[in-house]
Amino acid sequence: MTMTTDDPFAAFKQMQKAGWASFAPLQAITTITAARLVEHARIRSGQRVLDVGCGTGVVAVTAARLGAKVSGLDLTPELLAEARENSRIAMVDIDWHEGDVEHLPFEPNTFDVVVSQFGHMFAPRPDVAVSEMLRVLKPGGTIAFSTWPPELFVGRMFALVGSYMPPPPPGVAPAPQWGDPNIVRQRLGDAVRDIAFDRATMLVPALSPQHSRTTMERTAGPVLKLVEMLSANDPEKLAKFRREYETIVAEYLEDNIVRQDYLMTRAIKV
Ligand SMILES: C[S@@+](CC[C@H](N)C(=O)[O-])C[C@H]1O[C@@H](n2cnc3c(N)ncnc32)[C@H](O)[C@@H]1O
C-alpha cells in the first residue's frame, strides 16, 4: 500500500476506503459506462493503460479485452479482490495495485493512457491527483475521465450528503467540482493540449425514490458513511436527510430509471 504515513489526509482516505468497500454491486451499472469511457479515451490494442480508482476493474477489464496492457489501482482492497476475480473470469492479465492516486507507484512517462471512471474525483487534493496522473503519462499520451457535474443528480446528492457531514479537513475539494468543464480546464492547465468534453447518461434502474436511496445507502461510500453516523446519533436528522434525498431523486426518476448525466474529459499531455 503506497499511502504514506506522513500524509495529512490519511484519516480522510481511511474513511473513503471504508466507505467504498461495499460498492461492488454497482458494477452492474458502471460496466456499461466503462465501455463509453474506453471509447472516449480511444484506447487501442498494445497501449499501456492505467485505470485509477479502478474499483472492481470495469474500465481496466474493458481495455484489456481490447488488447491493451493494463494496470489498475484503487484504495479499497475489497474492490480489488472483485477486480482480480473479474480479470480472471474475462481471462485477461491485469497488474492490480492497492494504492492512492495522490501517490502513484509508477515511474514517470510509463503509460500511453491514464483513465478514471468516477474515481480520481474522490481524492482530496485535485492538484496532487492530476499532477500524479500526468507524471506517469507519456508526453503525447491521453488522460481521460468521467466525473459527476455539481448541478445534476449525483453532484446534488453529494452536496446534500456534505451538508449533513462534519466539515472535511481544510484543503479537501468537493468531488463534483471535477464535473465542471471550466474547473477541469484550470486543473489540467497548460500541461495538456486538445481538451475535449462529451456528456453521457448513466441509466440506473429504480422502482421508487426509496429504492434509489436504499441502493445508495448500501453502496456509495459517502452516503453509506453518513447513514452509519446518523443511525447511531440522530435518527430525526437521518429521516430528514432521507426525505430530502427522495425529493431530489424524484426529479430524475422516470419510467423506473434514474438519469445520472455526467461529463467525460479527454486531453493530450504536452
Ligand atoms: C464510485 S467508485 C468508482 C469505481 C470504478 N471506477 C467504477 O467505475 O466502477 C470510486 C472509487 O474511487 C476509489 N478511490 C477513492 N479515493 C481514492 C484515492 N485517493 N486513490 C485511489 N482510489 C480512490 C474508491 O476506492 C472507489 O473504488
Side-chain angles (χ1 to χ4, degrees), residues 1 3 12-13 16-21 23-24 26-27 29-31 33-34 37 51-59 73-77 79-80 98-104 116-124 129 148 158 202 219-222:
M1 177 71 195
M3 214 152 72
F12 176 87
K13 289 175 188 170
Q16 287 272 334
K17 194 167 160 172
W20 289 112
F23 183 75
L26 280 198
Q27 69 181 326
I29 310 288
T30 62
T31 288
T33 51
L37 179 59
D51 177 13
V52 299
C54 65
T56 63
V58 290
V59 173
L73 174 137
D74 200 279
L75 266 190
T76 307
L79 299 183
L80 284 170
E98 185 179 332
D100 177 6
V101 59
E102 292 194 348
H103 190 74
L104 291 173
S116 187
Q117 172 165 265
F118 315 121
H120 83 293
M121 65 182 292
F122 293 103
W148 300 115
F158 281 137
M202 181 185 272
T219 54

Side-chain angles (χ1 to χ4, degrees), residues 50-225:
L50 172 65
D51 177 13
V52 299
C54 65
T56 63
V58 290
V59 173
V61 170
T62 308
R65 289 192 65 242
L66 285 179
K69 294 178 214 124
V70 184
S71 302
L73 174 137
D74 200 279
L75 266 190
T76 307
E78 290 83 350
L79 299 183
L80 284 170
E82 190 75 21
R84 285 199 174 86
E85 176 65 357
N86 281 333
S87 56
R88 191 192 63 75
I89 294 170
M91 296 191 289
V92 287
D93 278 329
I94 296 179
D95 171 38
W96 299 111
H97 293 260
E98 185 179 332
D100 177 6
V101 59
E102 292 194 348
H103 190 74
L104 291 173
F106 305 104
E107 295 299 313
N109 308 333
T110 299
F111 295 98
D112 301 297
V113 184
V114 175
V115 278
S116 187
Q117 172 165 265
F118 315 121
H120 83 293
M121 65 182 292
F122 293 103
R125 294 170 294 188
D127 53 330
V128 180
V130 85
S131 75
E132 276 296 271
M133 290 165 78
L134 289 170
R135 179 183 65 77
V136 302
L137 186 61
K138 294 176 187 167
T142 301
I143 181 170
F145 42 82
S146 300
T147 48
W148 300 115
E151 72 282 11
L152 299 175
F153 171 60
V154 178
R156 289 176 65 191
M157 188 268 292
F158 281 137
L160 176 70
V161 170
S163 72
Y164 280 83
M165 289 292 266
V172 175
Q177 284 183 350
W178 272 113
D180 177 337
N182 294 322
I183 294 180
V184 171
R185 274 185 197 287
Q186 258 171 33
R187 287 178 179 171
L188 293 173
D190 54 16
V192 303
R193 60 176 165 81
D194 301 342
I195 300 194
F197 295 107
D198 201 353
R199 290 182 188 275
T201 306
M202 181 185 272
L203 299 176
V204 183
L207 280 176
S208 66
Q210 292 78 5
H211 278 79
S212 161
R213 177 179 55 66
T214 305
T215 303
M216 288 291 190
E217 288 183 7
R218 290 177 183 160
T219 54
V223 189
L224 188 148
K225 281 286 159 201

